[in-house]
Amino acid sequence: MADRIAETAPSVRGSARGGSLATTFSALKHPNYRLFFAGQLTSLTGTWMQNVAQAWLVYDLTKSPFYLGIVSFASALPSLLLSLWAGVLIDRMPKRRLLIITQASAMTLAFILAVDVFAGTVQPWHIVILSFLLGAVNAFDAPTRQAFVVEMVGREDLMNAIALNSAMFNSARILGPSIAGIVLAAVGPAWCFFINGISFLAVIASLSWMQVQPFVGAKKTESPVTQMREGLRYIVSHQTVRTLIGLVAIANIFAFGYSALIPAFARDILRPDGEVQALRALAQNSLGATPVLQNAVNGFAEGLLKSEVRQGLLVTFVGLGALAGALILASFAGSRRRGVILTFGNMLFPVMVLLFAFSQSLTLSFVILIVTGLGFMIQNATVNTLIQTSVPDELRGRVMSVFMLVFNGFFPIGALLAGTIAEHWNIPAGAAFGGSVALAFSVFLHWRAPYLRKLA
């Protein structure tokens, strides 16, 4: 099966010669991808601001880890219902046009939530409904973005572009939560939602400015149901693709559930008393001669006392690790040992989730989450690449819709599970259970699917 993948993507493997700077950012030589990268980076920064602010708002309104899981589940349910149909549509219509529609729809929903909070009328069930509607938009948007990459850069730079997409996503994951923590503490969540709405203008503009080739899609003479079955048959019959999608499904149902509990960890588990005392002592004893630094350190110490700032920092450190993982993969896009890299990430991710679950130190949790993000990114970006370099172009939308279904749609099932366990036992148990199950499955794959480690 490794030979089959290798034969379908010789140009991809040959596009990277090592870790040079030119290789790391080779996809940016394509004008359309440069526009896409800039627009998406701006928009995703706003999206992460909304993600952090929305989770904080839900927990502030309900004080319930279980309700955090409900909101996440509501956002994923449309993916479970619509993703297969979305894949058929993606293969039948111009992807740029579909992306403009989905981005404009997401912008509208962000503004509605902002107005609701500004007016003081927001209720938890409002957020559930808006999350469900945004999930419906994302059911079409996420696989379209994945399938659109090859039209912007071609197969030669596909691996690099996938890795840079991950770097872009996690750069936003660093910027967005950091900004969100400050905005939340200063003026409240409504402004985070409003800023997110404005940020969508950047990606809509970048898509509008692109020069794209005429669209050639799947045959419209065949029924959507027939085309859907064709995509599913391909996945079921392709052992490697089938196993890789299953790997992502288990990781997102179980290991990634910890992320839904981050607001609860920030508020109720990871108290910053030791860090605040150490920072105040540093400011008083070591920085007394430099008032600017002294004030900055004291300000940071005071910020740590606010749970919304701690939450933003926790998410930011996950993003730092994931960004590092994405840049590493971009630098070595032509590696012939992708299976080994995948196995490493698939083992590392759940181990770090378990360590985070049992950590009682805010500083130690920051370090653990950096490595957690690194493992998560190595695992999922490598899976994405292995699938995309094997799938035929005419089936790309349908296969990637299934990939995004398990990537986005299965996570909230795990979030609901983690929230339920946290509600009935304790918050660390909610994260530890999922990490344990995912680690057991990783060990099982290492034993029962050795061919994965041989993928090139």
Side-chain angles (χ1 to χ4, degrees):
M1 206 50 65
D3 291 337
R4 180 176 177 180
I5 290 180
E7 289 171 4
T8 60
S11 62
V12 175
R13 284 200 342 227
S15 66
R17 306 299 183 200
S20 71
L21 189 63
T23 296
T24 303
F25 299 100
S26 62
L28 291 174
K29 69 189 178 191
H30 301 275
N32 283 345
Y33 186 74
R34 288 198 300 270
L35 285 169
F36 179 81
F37 190 95
Q40 281 288 322
L41 179 60
T42 303
S43 178
L44 286 171
T45 300
T47 296
W48 273 105
M49 289 183 66
Q50 173 155 327
N51 289 346
V52 170
Q54 180 173 287
W56 180 89
L57 179 61
V58 169
Y59 198 67
D60 187 58
L61 290 172
T62 67
K63 305 298 187 293
S64 169
F66 178 68
Y67 217 97
L68 290 171
I70 290 176
V71 172
S72 294
F73 181 78
S75 70
L77 185 58
S79 290
L80 298 174
L81 300 174
L82 299 175
S83 286
L84 296 180
W85 296 107
V88 174
L89 180 64
I90 292 164
D91 283 336
R92 291 168 69 103
M93 74 173 289
K95 297 175 183 62
R96 181 178 67 162
R97 183 192 307 166
L98 184 55
L99 283 173
I100 291 174
I101 293 170
T102 57
Q103 294 291 303
S105 301
M107 177 176 67
T108 302
L109 292 172
F111 283 137
I112 290 172
L113 182 56
V115 170
D116 196 15
V117 180
F118 275 129
T121 57
V122 66
Q123 298 294 324
W125 65 269
H126 297 179
I127 300 173
V128 171
I129 291 175
L130 290 171
S131 295
F132 178 86
L133 294 174
L134 183 59
V137 172
N138 286 334
F140 291 87
D141 181 80
T144 306
R145 279 188 282 114
Q146 295 291 329
F148 189 47
V149 173
V150 72
E151 294 186 17
M152 291 185 286
V153 303
R155 280 187 171 268
E156 180 181 357
D157 289 313
L158 178 59
M159 167 67 172
N160 182 261
I162 290 170
L164 288 183
N165 279 353
S166 299
M168 170 222 302
F169 179 86
N170 287 288
S171 296
R173 192 177 192 173
I174 295 167
L175 294 171
S178 301
I179 298 170
I182 297 170
V183 174
L184 269 172
V187 292
W191 282 101
C192 293
F193 306 141
F194 179 77
I195 293 170
N196 179 40
I198 293 295
S199 73
F200 282 104
L201 295 174
V203 70
I204 292 172
S206 69
L207 289 166
S208 300
W209 292 335
M210 287 183 185
Q211 300 294 324
V212 297
Q213 296 295 322
F215 173 73
V216 178
K219 297 178 181 178
K220 295 184 179 180
T221 54
E222 296 180 350
S223 74
V225 173
T226 299
Q227 292 180 332
M228 182 194 300
R229 289 173 177 169
E230 182 183 11
L232 292 174
R233 277 197 302 269
Y234 174 83
I235 293 170
V236 171
S237 64
H238 197 300
Q239 182 188 37
T240 300
V241 172
R242 183 178 69 241
T243 304
L244 291 172
I245 289 178
L247 181 156
V248 172
I250 294 297
N252 277 15
I253 289 175
F254 294 102
F256 200 53
Y258 85 94
S259 63
L261 299 176
I262 282 181
F265 274 95
R267 182 184 289 263
D268 297 328
I269 302 296
L270 299 173
R271 298 294 186 178
D273 299 336
E275 287 80 6
V276 169
Q277 291 177 7
L279 287 168
R280 286 173 175 169
L282 175 66
Q284 182 176 355
N285 299 327
S286 303
L287 302 174
T290 54
V292 174
L293 284 176
Q294 187 179 36
N295 291 336
V297 172
N298 276 325
F300 182 68
E302 293 300 316
L304 286 180
L305 293 173
K306 299 178 179 180
S307 64
E308 56 265 44
V309 173
R310 296 198 298 275
Q311 177 189 342
L313 287 171
L314 289 169
V315 178
T316 296
F317 278 100
V318 177
L320 282 171
L323 175 61
L327 291 176
I328 290 169
L329 290 175
S331 298
F332 296 95
S335 171
R336 294 174 179 268
R337 299 180 63 83
R338 293 177 187 163
V340 175
I341 294 171
L342 171 62
T343 300
F344 172 74
N346 185 232
M347 292 283 190
L348 181 64
F349 177 45
V351 168
M352 290 299 107
V353 170
L354 281 170
L355 291 178
F356 174 70
F358 293 111
S359 172
Q360 298 290 312
S361 164
L362 181 62
T363 301
L364 179 60
S365 294
F366 287 157
V367 176
I368 291 171
L369 287 178
I370 289 176
V371 187
T372 303
L374 178 71
F376 175 81
M377 180 51 53
I378 289 174
Q379 171 191 281
N380 289 292
T382 307
V383 169
N384 189 332
T385 299
L386 289 170
I387 291 174
Q388 288 234 48
T389 53
S390 64
V391 63
D393 288 339
E394 65 272 14
L395 290 170
R396 188 176 303 278
R398 281 162 281 180
V399 173
M400 293 313 297
S401 72
V402 174
F403 172 77
M404 295 309 298
L405 185 154
V406 300
F407 187 79
N408 290 329
F410 283 21
F411 153 65
I413 298 174
L416 189 62
L417 177 62
T420 302
I421 294 172
E423 186 85 5
H424 289 87
W425 280 274
N426 56 62
I427 293 167
F433 173 78
S436 299
V437 174
L439 180 59
F441 185 74
S442 298
V443 173
F444 174 77
L445 277 184
H446 186 78
W447 170 49
R448 296 295 296 172
Y451 64 88
L452 288 179
R453 297 191 296 277
K454 300 176 183 178
L455 296 177

